[in-house]
Structure formats: structure tokens, C-alpha cells
Amino acid sequence: MRFHLLPAVVWLALPHAILAQDPVVGAIPFDQLLSDPAGFGFANRTPSFDAQVQELEQMAKAGNLGLDKCQIACALLELLVPPNVSSPASPDYKPVKYWSVQQSEVIPACRIDVASARDISTAIKVSKLTQCPFAVKGGGHVAFAGASSIQNGILINLANLNTVSVNEDRTITSVGSGNTWINVYKILDPLGLSVVGGREASVGVGGLTLGGGISYFSGRYGWACDNVLNYEVVLADGSIVIASPTSEPNLYWALRGGSGTNFGIISRFDLATFEQGPLWGGSKYYSIISNASLAEAFSKFAVDAPTDDFAHLYIAFGYADSFGGFAAVSGPTYGKPVADAPIFDELSKIPALIDATGLNNITALAIALDQTAYVRFRTVTFKNDANLIKQLVQIYVEETSTVLDIPGILPFFSFQPISLNIIDKMKKNGGNVLGLSEADGPLVIMNVNWGWSDAADDARISDTVLRFFSRSIALAKSMSLDHRFIYMNYAGLDQGVFAGYGEHNLGRLKDIQKRYDPHGVFTKLQPGYFKL
């Protein structure tokens, strides 16, 4: 069932929970729509278009229906792209899948499964016309509600923008913004190629890239945002532009870590592509008593990483019954088919309970690391120091031990380096927005990934995590090891991501936002995710 421009059917199709919320029909310029339909995306106007819009206008004015702005928006969208618009009121409606329960519980007024940049443009124009807010879903790999979901608004679903194509000389891969990384790797691996992308299979291309993008290949090439050659962007006025170092260079810079939710909706990424055969990597599991040795090995790696750009490493600590309690994990990866390369010598000295490393391709590694049971909570960045990491592990054990009685709890946290070679690669093509320099590094990102099964435990677990972070930050400050940077892709919604980019970069981002979105469309009508 879809929206139809007949009063009785419309009434039956609309959820009673969202009826008569915000009647704003007087503010909707139907006359402008009728006089300039192409300006609102109705270029393929049919003979019945005027009559249908006029009928909708009369229905909207009818006091007994009390249609709100989003119901009108959804009906207009169905006029334009009828095969692609669906309503949760329909018995055959199939909700899109999200990574977190929080996002899945949010129900839109309607969903448009866009198939082109032009469809996105139309959705933006209809949103502006009706003032119905919208959200954009790519991979949907964010924990908090509203990031890529919306209650009673328009959900712009990018899933059908899923093409992956390689140019003739194998140097550029064009990727639709609805892809997850596993789709990209399954195309590139058989070709002996790769791109700087996410490490987890189900993570979306768009979200990871626009927020930064840590990769197994970051030592060689920087983060994912540093390896986009062109963005196809739908702007606030509905126009479609290409942002690159030479075309719309300010917008190009802003999108390298500034999030698309402030400047436009990305429909395609053109990614720098390189030859990549088999690589070595995986996970090693340890007793928690190895935590001090792991901290030393990791800290040394963060310093030594510039001596070998092919190496990547993270360490993590957690508690799980399957581990027999507290345990530790390392994730060494090497961009060549070389096991335990010399840069991992300190790590190799630590006895592992399980060694799941081996020769792999990026597809297999992405599937192995994919997380499906965690709720990303928040992050903080420190200057590299082994003693700090050791003490943070101790604080973690102390705080976590107070909530181990909660059923289904899986409390994990990790350390990931921003080494000097990575920071150096961030300078190319005019640099990114993150505000990092060699004087800052090497740095270490601490990220919490906690999972649990019952929403009734939310408050207790949140209090524990916040206490852990508060103690951690206080300790780092006491050792003069704190740092302002907050990695967007791991951040909690309440964290000041953009302030962490530095005053100069924040000011420049705001100036660019005013130029490309002078009326605040993405601020006012796309309420979710991080805003300037």
C-alpha cells in the first residue's frame, strides 16, 4: 500500500499516532509548486500532475483530516518517485536494518529508496517545501537514535546507490554512497586492488569516510577521508556538484572529516585505488595478565610505525564468559604476505592463548572483525604513553567489575594509534579538517564498545562508562597526556567533536557551511548526527 491522493485511502494509510501533529498547510507554497514543478524535481510532469497536487492541497486544507507537513511531503514524494516511496503504515512495509536497537526503534513517516543523485535532490526540495525533516541512511552503523534514522520524518535510504566500478587504468574506484565496505572489497579483491576503507564488513562507506576513516592501509596512505579524489554532492538547494581539489576545493576540504550532515548528501565517492595482493593479519588473544606487556608493545609500535608503513596494530581489553573473564586482544595486520614482520617483534614475544592470524585478503579480515553485538559509546584521545595505558586498563577492570552481574554484558575497549606517518599522509591534497600535526603525535585513540541485552540496564551501564571516562581523562591530564581531538566515528552525541579540530578549522568549517547552506537546511531539517 502506498499514499494515494484520495481522502479515504489517505486517511486509512496514515498512522493515527502521527495525525494532526503539526498542520502547516498554510505555509506550504502549493502555488509555487504548480507554477514551477521542475524547480521541485517534477521535471517528468504528467498531464494529471496539476490535478493531483490541487487535490492534495484541498485535502490538506480540510480540517477533518488535519494532515501534517510530513504526510504532505510523503504524498508529494510519491507523485515524483512512486516506485521508491513506502509507508510504515503499509502491511507489506519492510523496515531497513540498523546496527543498533536504538536506531531501529525510530519510525519515519515514509522512506524514499533513492536510485540517483536526482532522487536525493528531489527529497531535499520536498523537505524544504514542506519543512518536513529528514535523515539519511547509508550503512546505519551508529549507536544513537536519530543519527541515520528519524521519527515521523523522511528517511532517505541510500542502499540502492550500490554500484562499484573501477576505471580503465585501475587507479580510481567509483563507489555509490549506499555501499558497505564488504561490497567494495568483494569487487576489488579478485582484481588484486584495494582502497583505503573500513576494517569491518558492515560499516557504511559514507559514514566512515566522511568522519575520518581508520584503515589497515593508513600507514601508507592516511585515513579514508584523505583518499577521496572526488565527491558527488547534492547541496542544500538541490544542485549536484563535484567536489575535488580543483572543483569546489573548499567543500572538498570540509568533507574530509567534517561530516556530510553539515554540507550536503554524498551520492558517490571516487576513491584512490592501488594494487593489493594477500596480506597477513587477524587477532591474537591473551590472558589479562599480559596487559602491561601489551601496553609496552603497543606504545613502542606507535612510535616505530613510521619505519614501516605497511604495519597496523590495535589492542583491546574486555570481559566475556567465553574468554573465561577478563582478556586481551591484539590485531596486528601487515600489508604484505609476511607473518610477524620485525615491527611486531615486541608483540610476538607475548605468549598468546589463541593465534588467529594468517594470510588473508581484506574481505576475509573485514568479515572476521565485523561487530554485531556492541554499542559504540564514546571516545577520547591521549598522547602515547605505555604507563598511561597500563593505568587505564586497571581503571577499566575496577569499574567494569561493578556491573558484571548484568546479564549479557560484553564490555570491551580498545587503543588505536595515530602515528606520525599517518598524520603526515593527512596533508595531501590540501589536508583534512581534523587539525592534527606532527607536533601532536603520536596519539592514541581510546574507544569503548560495550554491549548488553536489556534497556533497563542502560542508566547503570552509562553511569559506569562515564565514570571510567572521567577517571581516565583526569589521569591523563594529571600526566599532561590529554589531547583535544575527538574521533567522530567513535564519539558519543554529547561530545564536542568539532571543537577538537581546533579553533581555526572550526571557524573555516562554519564559513564554508554558510556559503553552501546559507539557509541552514542541513542544520534545521536534518537534525541527526554531529552539527557545527
Side-chain angles (χ1 to χ4, degrees), residues 8-289:
V9 178
V10 170
W11 173 259
L12 292 173
L14 296 173
H16 288 267
I18 63 174
L19 279 173
Q21 286 186 355
D22 188 13
V24 291
V25 65
I28 297 176
F30 282 98
D31 55 339
Q32 294 179 28
L33 178 61
L34 289 168
S35 63
D36 181 24
F40 294 96
F42 290 88
N44 298 322
R45 180 174 174 179
T46 65
S48 63
F49 176 78
D50 284 2
Q52 290 177 304
V53 172
Q54 288 170 350
E55 186 177 357
L56 177 61
E57 180 181 18
Q58 292 304 312
M59 289 164 48
K61 288 179 178 178
N64 62 324
L65 285 180
L67 298 182
D68 72 18
K69 58 192 177 185
C70 288
Q71 293 159 359
I72 296 169
C74 292
L76 286 172
L77 284 172
E78 192 191 5
L79 284 179
L80 176 63
V81 280
N84 298 353
V85 181
S86 56
S87 165
S90 172
D92 59 355
Y93 179 78
K94 294 181 180 180
V96 293
K97 294 182 179 180
Y98 286 95
W99 183 62
S100 72
V101 174
Q102 294 95 320
Q103 292 233 79
S104 298
E105 292 175 340
V106 178
I107 308 300
C110 63
R111 186 180 81 233
I112 175 170
D113 299 323
V114 296
S116 66
R118 180 57 58 192
D119 286 352
I120 297 173
S121 174
T122 298
I124 292 175
K125 290 174 181 177
V126 169
S127 172
K128 289 168 60 181
L129 175 75
T130 61
Q131 292 296 290
C132 175
F134 64 89
V136 180
K137 181 188 179 295
H141 204 270
V142 179
F144 49 84
S148 53
S149 57
I150 191 162
Q151 187 67 34
N152 297 340
I154 302 165
L155 179 60
I156 301 175
N157 179 30
L158 304 178
N160 289 338
L161 298 178
N162 57 5
T163 58
V164 179
S165 61
V166 181
N167 71 338
E168 189 172 346
D169 67 3
R170 296 164 53 97
T171 60
I172 301 174
T173 301
S174 296
V175 178
S177 58
N179 278 291
T180 56
W181 287 107
I182 192 63
N183 297 339
V184 179
Y185 298 145
K186 284 182 176 179
I187 297 293
L188 296 184
D189 263 338
L191 301 176
L193 298 173
S194 200
V195 294
V196 179
R199 295 165 297 175
E200 297 181 35
S202 62
V203 170
V205 168
L208 178 122
T209 304
L210 292 166
I214 301 172
S215 168
Y216 289 128
F217 306 122
S218 291
R220 274 186 280 170
Y221 302 110
W223 281 2
C225 67
D226 305 311
N227 292 276
V228 181
L229 302 177
N230 307 292
Y231 301 85
E232 184 179 69
V233 191
V234 185
L235 300 178
D237 64 359
S239 62
I240 302 168
V241 302
I242 299 296
S244 73
T246 56
S247 172
E248 312 289 348
N250 287 318
L251 178 61
Y252 174 79
W253 176 83
L255 292 172
R256 290 177 61 182
S259 173
T261 59
N262 292 292
F263 307 99
I265 301 175
I266 313 303
S267 50
R268 191 189 78 236
F269 298 84
D270 293 337
L271 306 179
T273 305
F274 52 89
E275 302 289 328
Q276 178 64 53
L279 64 165
W280 175 87
S283 299
K284 296 184 178 183
Y285 300 85
Y286 311 84
S287 165
I288 192 65
I289 63 174

Side-chain angles (χ1 to χ4, degrees), residues 425-443:
K425 306 300 191 303
M426 291 180 175
K427 298 176 184 176
K428 60 187 176 184
N429 295 326
N432 62 37
V433 307
L434 305 178
L436 301 176
S437 71
E438 285 89 343
D440 295 301
L443 298 171

